[in-house]
Amino acid sequence: MIHVDRQRSPRDLVGKIDRLFALSAGKIRSIERTWRPDAGAPVFTVQGRYQARGWTEWTQGFQFGSALLQFDATGDAEFLDLGRSHTVHRMAPYLTHMGVHDHGFNNVCTYGTLWRLAREKRIMAGEWERELYALALKVSGAVQARRWTRLPGGGFIYSFNGAHSLFVDTIRSLRALALGHVLGQPLMEEQDEKISLLDRLVQHARATAQWSVYYGRGRDRFDVRGRV
């Protein structure tokens, strides 16, 4: 049985949170010191050492986004400088990457975090810098929405496995479409057809709910309520 201690407050966690970010700082510095950029993005570990994985570099945004979140939590400008510099100089190819469903991971974690920090006035960012981050998010949202498989009455953003592939975790990349929509960006198709990023977001979410989530209705032997 779980006994809930209702006397605890957020203040009780301060020591553990400080410890968390102290450890995180060391890990971020270690990766920055030892990782070779030409090796690709660090994806998984072998005997405690990060390795790349050839199918897609879906963790590059986590590498630099972690530094930005470290700054967000601690105010240590070392990590802002690290995350901002790498975002501007190394993340541009991911903005127009047509071959992946990972725009939320890579671009929202980097350009999106910088955009938020600038809006919150947590960082000094001039008008053109803020516009750069916003433009990046507009481009990313539209490019991600372009990766589309049509279904009767809707469709979905397909994964790197091909047009048949509806990944449940792609739901997390809908953030890219949401931010693009908030910033006023449509997807422009052939003959100037204008497609709403919000509509595609909703259609993908509906397809995920219909085909990738089990509800315990006897659909098949795997149909356990809540399973994905």
Side-chain angles (χ1 to χ4, degrees), residues 30-75:
S30 176
I31 293 173
E32 177 66 13
R33 183 175 62 253
T34 60
W35 187 254
R36 302 190 327 273
D38 60 354
V43 177
F44 68 107
T45 59
V46 175
Q47 297 181 343
R49 298 286 183 179
Y50 270 107
Q51 306 291 321
R53 190 74 177 187
W55 65 62
T56 177
E57 296 188 347
W58 62 279
T59 59
Q60 190 74 87
F62 295 157
Q63 182 181 355
F64 307 143
S66 292
L68 296 172
L69 292 180
Q70 184 77 19
F71 164 77
D72 194 14
T74 67

Side-chain angles (χ1 to χ4, degrees), residues 66-119:
S66 292
L68 296 172
L69 292 180
Q70 184 77 19
F71 164 77
D72 194 14
T74 67
D76 189 335
E78 170 194 354
F79 296 100
L80 171 62
D81 293 342
L82 190 159
R84 179 158 52 185
S85 175
H86 283 323
T87 295
V88 171
H89 293 110
R90 293 182 52 193
M91 291 304 295
Y94 295 94
L95 295 175
T96 54
H97 196 333
M98 303 290 184
V100 296
H101 61 276
D102 302 331
H103 281 245
F105 297 154
N106 277 322
N107 298 324
V108 176
C109 287
T110 50
Y111 294 101
T113 301
L114 287 164
W115 179 73
R116 174 179 62 81
L117 291 171
R119 281 173 54 85

